[in-house]
Amino acid sequence: MNRHALLSCRLRINGASHDVEDVHFGDTLLEVLRDRLGLVGTKQGCEDGQCGACTVLIDGQPVNSCLELAAETVGREIVTIEGYNRRDGSLTPLQEALVRQAAIQCGFCIPGIVLAAESLLAERPDATEDDIRTEMDGNLCRCTGYSSILAAILEVAETRRGS
Amino acid sequence: MAPDPRSGGSATGVGASIVRPDAIAKVRGEFEFATDLRAAGMLWGATLRSPHPLARILKVDLTPARRIPGVRAVLGAWDVPVNTFGAVDKDTPVLADDMVRYVGEPVAIVAAQSPALARQAIDAIVVTYEPMRPVTDALEALAAGHVYRHVSMTHGDPDVVGEVQAEGEYLTPRQDHSFLAPDAGLARPDGRDGVEVIGASQWVHADREQIAACLALPEEKVLVVNSGIGGSFGGRVSMTWQVHGALLALHTGRPVKFVYSRHETFLARYHRHPSRIWLRHHANRDGTLVKLEARILLEDGPYSHTAAAGIGNSCSLIQGPYNVPNASIEGWAVATNNGMCGSMRGFGVVEPIFACESNMDRLARTLGIDGAELRRRNLIRSGDTWTFRQVQDRPAPVSELVDLCQAMALPPAPSADRPMSARVALPGGVATPTRPRHVRRGIGLAAAVKNTCFSEGCPVNSTALLTLHNGIATVDCAAAEVGQGFVAVAIQVVQSTLGVNEVRVAACDTGMPPAASTDAQQQTITSGPAIHLAAARLKERFLQFFGREHGLDAATLDIRDDFVVSRQGGRLASVAEAGMGLVFRATERFDQRTTRPVDDPHATEPVHVALSFSANRCVLDVDVELGLVRVVQMDVVQDAGRVANPALALGQVTGGSLMGLGFALSESLEYRDGRPVNGNWRDYRLPRMADAPVVNCRFVERPVPGIPFGFNGIGEMPHVQAPAAILSALRDATGLDLPAAPATAGRIALTGSDAVPMRLSDSALEAFKGPGRARIGKFLRFQRVER
Ligand code: FES
Ligand code: FES
């Protein structure tokens, strides 16, 4: 396909359809979400697949949206932090645990961490500390030293196991 | 105190772990960071940067860029009214004029209708350079006399010789702040010939002063606003896009937004200065320190930036938290073309503590004494005099810190048959090729000291304005919240002092009176007291009003938990009702004590406002064949003055320790021939969750005299101490010298060949007594007259 061709795309984001005009084939999903649709809860940290700040869920899987071409996500179900949040403003158990464990400092890494951790918990409800350390390796946080984030995810895993 | 890691609960005030007020918005991704700003009609900015470490600019042709439809402005150096700025000294060009002096230096800027168009316009600009040979080696810079500041000081009798000596030379890396949010912001015309600059700054008032000067505008025409800041760590004290954005906004009459890419954030910004430190400890056979000789070489960039303060910190704290009766200390901050260097968490102190502690390990080995015991014998005490002629007139509970640290429980020994599923817990982490039989455990201990607040004559103060209306208090204090949690501390101080629990903290901008910079772990100890004083004054006014209204003596009244109470504690009225809808205000300023340059032989003031101490024991496993390391546990005991919010303070310790771990093991921004080779997160290795050790923390609270609540700095210390403790544990496990950080797998596995040649020892130094002391950049305020 011609690199410079402009496309119009219909993207499924947070349960709604969005028509985006004049998308370059090379535009990343991150660029379209943030710059075109104003969904700025998804963060840009490195545009290089290294930090996970741009994590969104595509068909339930965590994906670095900076590495995903927007045009190639047509027809797939995209969930951003805006779609993950509860409508009534209350926090999910994972979000509550992150707040309780004081895992939020600058908070720039957090939307990506919430989505990555939620899909980890969905996939592996029995996740151990070692599993979490392994699976969350793609999400950088420069502020917390991770121990509070780890404690929060573990707390949710344990609560779910207990119930 | 062992801090509870959890926040929340019903407790309020200083000492409670209240939930920070921005937590909910942040965890829902609704908190607005500088990268997220938008405005109607907004243009996108982009920057053309130098590809050369040193070159003459022969020609800049902007016309091809200007011809592109949708490009609204293309500006060069000649469009900047006053083309220099700087955090301390104004010697940094806004846009390069006749010369470029580092790779990444801005040369031209554009504003266009989309980010893609802006990038296209940048690519269209034609610059003709004449490359020159850059200075890329700090020793060469020293020989050539490219010195920003030379510090020379002696203490006691510099000619004394100890029975035993230990000597070494140590290297530390160019560390990048790597805060998660790239440099970004928005500038817009204010409609009255002025400009608003909304971004992420550690110190809005310092930015305003510089922006206004560059634009040749009066300061009141420039409003600098902080939006959400995604981490800082000392990295946002110098401006990047701000003047560019303001210029483009004024030229186009439209809002202009900049968002740097990560690579650009590496290029455009300063980093921690690499250091080379030689030192020789003299001691008696029983381990008592007799003398310290030290030479410190800090590499700074082509512009002076904060070079002078860095070398001042280094020279003063190279002695570590030890009593050293005699000393001879010399330091230089030199200029090279390897990109900009400047302040970062533990500024100028991480390096000397690393060198001092490394050499203390060497001295312990020479003496055949246990490292912890050697340290314990020499720890500084209250009443001792530092090498920089400052008496330690405040608490110095260092031996208590060391004892508590050593008393903490050690983790279980590594087992040779760990299951495969736990590979993440082994050296090398996820998917490690390590073999358990090659793994050895090491334990190391380090002690550290760090100054709290700007030192050496920099005035440090904050002003706070407090408003009380309908039972709700609002704090106006221009202290930057960069993620550290000052917004929570501000609330807690008001709760404790005013007795009102509903407190809001206004967003920070230059419309407020100035506050201290979020730097040098000085915010809680400086702005905290300013808020306290304002709250105390407000309470006095409020109670006087209430007393008058009700015919009561104000001296018998108090405010507790949102109620006016009598001396007996009976509730008289809620604050919300008692205020009768009126607005009560108080504004107060808090000044730290004044300080003097470290090498001023005459002045009698202290050099540092306050000092904080810590001890850190590190336990790690290392694969001695492959050089892979897994830090298992760090036990941190920190002198914290008074802890305002234990959960947040603990977050500083865990976060700072891991940043120190990065410095110790993996983080180094390398330059080859003046060009950065790993300015991205693929190749610049940051610690990840798999690398994070268990951090056990205790705070020892010794209130700092003269400071309301007795606060001290907390945020930098964990980073200062971690590298020294980690390297000490590595030496314990491997028997290697490991004089250089980061101790990468290559350096650890390369047994025996890691010696750093002594380039700064007495004899070697002779070669570097260059002819004159021509400086790149201007004299700094601390620079002494030539000897
Ligand atoms: S921005 Fe996508 S991984 Fe960093
Ligand atoms: S909280 Fe700042 S990067 Fe994670």
Side-chain angles (χ1 to χ4, degrees), chain A residues 30 43-55 64-67 138, chain B residues 681:
Chain A
L30 177 65
K43 301 302 174 196
Q44 169 196 330
C46 69
E47 334 76 48
D48 196 18
Q50 293 301 307
C51 72
C54 64
T55 303
N64 287 329
S65 63
C66 67
L67 297 182
Chain B
W681 283 342

Side-chain angles (χ1 to χ4, degrees), chain A residues 43 50 100 105 133 137 144, chain B residues 7 26 36 654 688 692:
Chain A
K43 301 302 174 196
Q50 293 301 307
R100 187 163 45 242
Q105 289 190 29
R133 283 177 181 276
D137 214 41
T144 62
Chain B
S7 59
K26 282 179 174 177
D36 308 333
T654 53
R688 292 176 176 269

Side-chain angles (χ1 to χ4, degrees), chain B residues 246-455:
Chain B
L247 278 166
L248 289 167
L250 290 174
H251 268 262
T252 60
R254 306 254 300 257
V256 178
K257 177 172 177 175
F258 273 84
V259 181
Y260 285 3
S261 69
R262 179 53 52 179
H263 181 57
E264 198 173 16
T265 296
F266 267 100
L267 284 184
R269 291 183 38 264
Y270 55 94
H271 310 97
R272 184 191 293 290
H273 42 226
S275 79
R276 171 182 284 274
I277 300 177
W278 168 86
L279 35 79
R280 181 155 58 201
H281 279 110
H282 296 243
N284 288 337
R285 269 183 226 296
D286 69 356
T288 314
L289 288 178
V290 171
K291 187 172 79 167
L292 170 67
E293 296 172 87
R295 320 258 181 275
I296 305 169
L297 180 62
L298 297 186
E299 180 187 334
D300 281 275
Y303 303 108
S304 67
H305 199 244
T306 49
I311 192 66
N313 279 355
S314 295
C315 288
S316 63
L317 297 179
I318 183 72
Q319 75 183 85
Y322 308 110
N323 188 27
V324 177
N326 307 292
S328 138
I329 295 163
E330 203 158 6
W332 303 266
V334 298
T336 73
N337 299 103
N338 291 335
M340 294 289 286
C341 293
S343 57
M344 182 172 172
R345 198 177 203 170
F347 181 38
V349 184
V350 175
E351 304 83 355
I353 293 297
F354 173 78
C356 168
E357 289 298 278
S358 298
N359 211 55
M360 287 292 276
D361 281 351
R362 192 182 294 248
L363 179 63
R365 283 199 303 275
T366 312
L367 287 163
I369 304 182
D370 172 60
E373 185 50 37
L374 173 67
R375 287 172 172 84
R376 206 178 271 115
R377 277 182 209 175
N378 291 287
L379 292 171
I380 198 138
R381 291 186 170 77
S382 197
D384 288 344
T385 303
W386 295 91
T387 53
F388 42 92
R389 291 190 299 110
Q390 178 170 337
V391 175
Q392 179 58 27
D393 56 356
R394 298 179 165 194
V398 208
S399 61
E400 188 181 342
L401 306 181
V402 172
D403 290 345
L404 278 171
C405 188
Q406 284 212 298
M408 286 162 88
L410 284 167
S415 67
D417 49 14
R418 222 182 297 224
M420 287 299 284
S421 66
R423 293 202 82 77
V424 67
L426 295 177
V430 184
T432 179
T434 198
R435 299 218 181 106
R437 67 191 151 88
H438 291 148
V439 175
R440 284 198 212 133
R441 175 146 292 187
I443 302 178
L445 183 117
V449 56
K450 171 74 185 53
N451 51 329
T452 299
C453 298
F454 286 155
S455 301

